[in-house]
Amino acid sequence: MKLAVIGTGYVGLVSGVCLASKGHLVTCFDINETIVNQLDNGICHIYENDLEKLLIANKSNMSFSLLDDETEQHLMNFDAVLVAVGTPTNNGRADLSQIESVGKMMGRLIKNSNEYISVIIKSTVIPGTTDTFLKDILEKESGKKIGDFGLGMNPEFLREGNAVEDFQFPDRIVFGYEDLKTLDILNRIYEPWACEKIEVNTRSAEMMKYVNNALLATLISTINEYSNIARELGNVDFKKVMQGVHLDNRWSPLDGDGKKINPQIIDYLKPGCGYGGSCFPKDVMAISALAEDLGVSSRILSAVIEVNETQPEVIIDILKKEVSQLESKRILMLGLSFKPETDDVRESVSLKLLELLDGQVKSLSVHDPIAMPNAKSVLKLDNNIEFVDDWPNKLSDTDIIIIATNWVEYTGLANMLDQIEGKTILDTRSLLNQDDLLNVKYITIN
Ligand code: NAD
């Protein structure tokens, strides 16, 4: 099929490349000329495992285009237009301005064309956006009705760092549709995928994405709250507590051979520094704001947000309790991205920890294998932060090491006992094992 993808960020680019890898002819459009030029030269502007390799391998099925007044005309030459523009947060509410702008443009194009085209939203949008907000814009701008054009919602569940694999081997694919032709198009687009496919109206598809993310965020905040209670109570081995909880058959059932399955959900049931990234924080806030608009009480969502927002402070308080004269200490923070295997620092807890430490310590140095350029562009702190490329070399100049992102390379600390002797490690991700660390003050968030 001939597919257009509007918005070539984490979701749009991964989708475009993976769809091309299945034989579709894909053109990715973006309003950012630098991104388009880079991609045209086979260079990914974001870091995602295997993405650049797959892009280069499927270059013959792909093209990239700046989206402007001239090129937008080409959009009517595709079987479907997938929309993957940003839906950031604005005062806790979903900012739909990018969707609005694409909707107006598509409406104008539909008005002047006799072709049927299906507009399919991949961005995460508040339930009711596609069948009301976007539909109204498209109908008003085009003077036509659904049926003359198509409307769909195909939420994306990929996880950054694992996005290519998640797109290629999804747990399910959701076909939200407002007209049967769009449902048929969605079925044809995803024909090469063998996983379960769920057909619903667009509103239910939108809701599925929010419930999925909000539920995972709820688990994270809930466990952080229990861990905070246990710490205050004292003399509780919370790691063992959670080990016992995890072994409950309902969290980790037995497989056919009687062996315990260790499902990924367990990772959400561990205390830490809270959730960050481009999705959970904004999505939980947006669904909570929707509830408020509807006059529905959303006390759980409010608590999830509150616990998460205060968790970085909890972590710095733990450090202050464990280490005297913090102001005289030289800190090395390891990890800036919101999770490993990505360069994305949006809503990264590492940056919040840095803000809280700024001005409170003797010096702050930071390292990340790939996210330092992105962090440099967003950090606005008074104190000078030193960005170090060779973090093992910095250990001799460091009093406290904070593991803020669980990049595998930081497990190497356990093999540097000479260099870390006498130092403090605050491991917010429970990456290391206390037993491996002799002569080190080791603090975790258990
Ligand atoms: P992003 O900011 O990385 O990319 C958005 C892209 O859209 C940018 O390159 C921007 O230049 C472009 N753009 C903005 N307005 C445009 C327009 N009018 N025409 C053409 N291009 C335009 O965002 P993202 O992380 O890819 O997220 C996109 C959507 O997918 C969001 O709604 C997000 O919530 C959702 N989502 C993200 C993830 C994730 O892990 N990042 C996962 C699932 C869903």
Side-chain angles (χ1 to χ4, degrees):
M1 295 173 80
K2 278 187 76 185
L3 304 174
V5 178
I6 300 185
T8 314
Y10 287 87
V11 167
L13 183 58
V14 171
S15 306
V17 170
C18 291
L19 289 164
S21 76
K22 298 286 184 187
H24 295 303
L25 298 175
V26 181
T27 303
C28 292
F29 291 85
D30 205 289
I31 48 173
N32 185 325
E33 196 168 5
T34 316
I35 290 177
V36 173
N37 289 339
Q38 270 183 302
L39 289 167
D40 224 11
N41 290 316
I43 300 163
C44 286
H45 63 293
I46 53 168
Y47 176 83
E48 196 56 65
N49 272 326
D50 292 336
L51 185 59
E52 204 165 89
K53 215 165 56 185
L54 203 62
L55 163 71
I56 292 165
N58 291 285
K59 200 85 200 351
S60 57
N61 282 358
M62 293 204 77
S63 54
F64 299 94
S65 171
L66 180 67
L67 188 55
D68 59 18
D69 294 349
E70 234 171 80
T71 57
E72 66 178 37
Q73 313 299 330
H74 301 309
L75 283 165
M76 291 309 289
N77 301 331
F78 292 86
D79 296 314
V81 171
L82 304 173
V83 182
V85 295
T87 50
T89 191
N90 186 0
N91 288 327
R93 277 161 200 279
D95 173 357
L96 296 176
S97 54
Q98 295 179 32
I99 296 280
E100 182 179 6
S101 135
V102 170
K104 285 185 175 161
M105 174 195 65
M106 287 309 301
R108 288 193 307 272
L109 295 173
I110 289 165
K111 180 180 181 181
N112 298 320
S113 168
N114 293 324
E115 301 289 331
Y116 167 95
I117 186 132
S118 201
V119 180
I120 298 171
I121 301 296
K122 277 202 84 60
S123 303
T124 303
V125 290
I126 275 296
T129 299
T130 306
D131 69 2
T132 308
F133 179 81
L134 181 60
K135 173 176 154 271
D136 290 352
I137 292 173
L138 287 168
E139 289 190 342
K140 185 165 166 248
E141 293 289 331
S142 67
K144 296 182 181 172
K145 294 274 170 210
I146 284 200
D148 300 326
F149 62 89
L151 198 49
M153 204 285 142
N154 169 222
E156 186 46 62
F157 294 93
L158 61 77
R159 295 160 302 164
E160 280 178 31
N162 213 50
V164 169
E165 196 185 332
D166 285 347
F167 200 97
Q168 286 179 323
F169 305 100
D171 301 331
R172 72 316 214 176
I173 302 176
V174 180
F175 297 163
Y177 65 99
E178 293 300 317
D179 63 301
L180 286 172
K181 270 194 194 169
T182 295
L183 177 61
D184 177 55
I185 286 171
L186 281 163
N187 268 302
R188 281 165 46 216
I189 294 174
Y190 289 103
E191 208 248 305
W193 278 262
C195 67
E196 187 138 351
K197 290 156 187 170
I198 303 180
E199 299 175 2
V200 280
N201 63 14
T202 56
R203 200 171 268 232
S204 307
E206 291 160 341
M207 193 79 194
M208 209 179 298
K209 173 70 187 169
Y210 276 96
V211 173
N212 200 66
N213 276 1
L215 199 51
L216 293 171
T218 304
L219 290 183
I220 294 170
S221 279
T222 305
I223 295 304
N224 280 336
E225 185 160 285
Y226 296 157
S227 144
N228 294 343
I229 295 168
R231 192 176 316 105
E232 204 52 41
L233 177 65
N235 202 21
V236 176
D237 187 340
F238 199 70
K239 201 171 175 184
K240 284 269 183 235
V241 170
M242 288 318 296
Q243 193 186 343
V245 172
H246 294 165
L247 284 171
D248 188 304
N249 196 33
R250 287 161 293 189
W251 292 116
S252 47
L254 301 175
D255 68 10
D257 301 327
K259 279 197 205 122
K260 275 274 173 202
I261 293 172
N262 195 14
Q264 283 176 32
I265 197 76
I266 297 292
D267 289 340
Y268 294 82
L269 295 173
K270 288 178 182 161
C273 45
Y275 58 80
S278 69
C279 291
F280 283 11
K282 83 174 171 63
D283 292 351
V284 179
M285 277 196 267
I287 191 84
S288 173
L290 174 69
E292 191 184 319
D293 291 348
L294 294 169
V296 177
S297 146
S298 62
R299 292 184 291 265
I300 291 178
L301 291 169
S302 305
V304 170
I305 296 166
E306 194 189 323
V307 170
N308 198 61
E309 283 180 347
T310 51
Q311 193 64 11
E313 290 161 29
V314 169
I315 285 173
I316 299 302
D317 283 348
I318 293 172
L319 188 62
K320 282 182 179 161
K321 271 189 199 145
E322 295 279 344
V323 178
S324 56
Q325 295 179 317
L326 194 60
E327 64 287 354
S328 66
K329 305 295 185 214
R330 297 160 301 171
I331 310 259
L332 170 62
M333 183 177 286
L334 298 178
L336 294 167
S337 56
F338 83 96
K339 63 188 284 197
E341 302 301 327
T342 180
D343 59 351
D344 198 345
V345 297
R346 288 179 284 183
E347 295 293 323
S348 169
V349 182
S350 311
L351 305 192
K352 291 182 186 153
L353 294 174
L354 282 176
E355 272 166 32
L356 291 169
L357 288 168
D358 186 34
Q360 309 279 319
V361 294
K362 189 170 175 201
S363 67
L364 270 176
S365 308
V366 294
H367 172 268
D368 191 283
I370 51 172
M372 289 205 283
N374 282 347
K376 271 183 200 167
S377 68
V378 295
L379 272 171
K380 295 180 195 79
L381 300 182
D382 295 339
N383 259 9
N384 279 337
I385 292 186
E386 186 194 3
F387 287 80
V388 296
D389 290 319
D390 183 359
W391 64 268
N393 202 26
K394 189 69 196 169
L395 291 172
S396 57
D397 268 352
T398 298
D399 303 305
I400 301 173
I401 302 147
I402 301 179
I403 301 177
T405 312
N406 44 338
W407 283 98
V408 172
E409 70 172 79
Y410 301 143
T411 57
L413 275 167
N415 303 322
M416 301 176 187
L417 294 182
D418 287 349
Q419 285 136 287
I420 58 175
E421 190 177 343
K423 302 186 189 300
T424 298
I425 298 182
L426 171 62
D427 183 357
T428 70
R429 304 284 182 172
S430 300
L431 186 69
L432 306 177
N433 268 323
Q434 179 141 35
D435 297 346
D436 299 337
L437 304 165
L438 299 173
N439 304 323
V440 171
K441 186 177 174 69
Y442 179 65
I443 312 165
T444 46
I445 315 300
N446 286 324

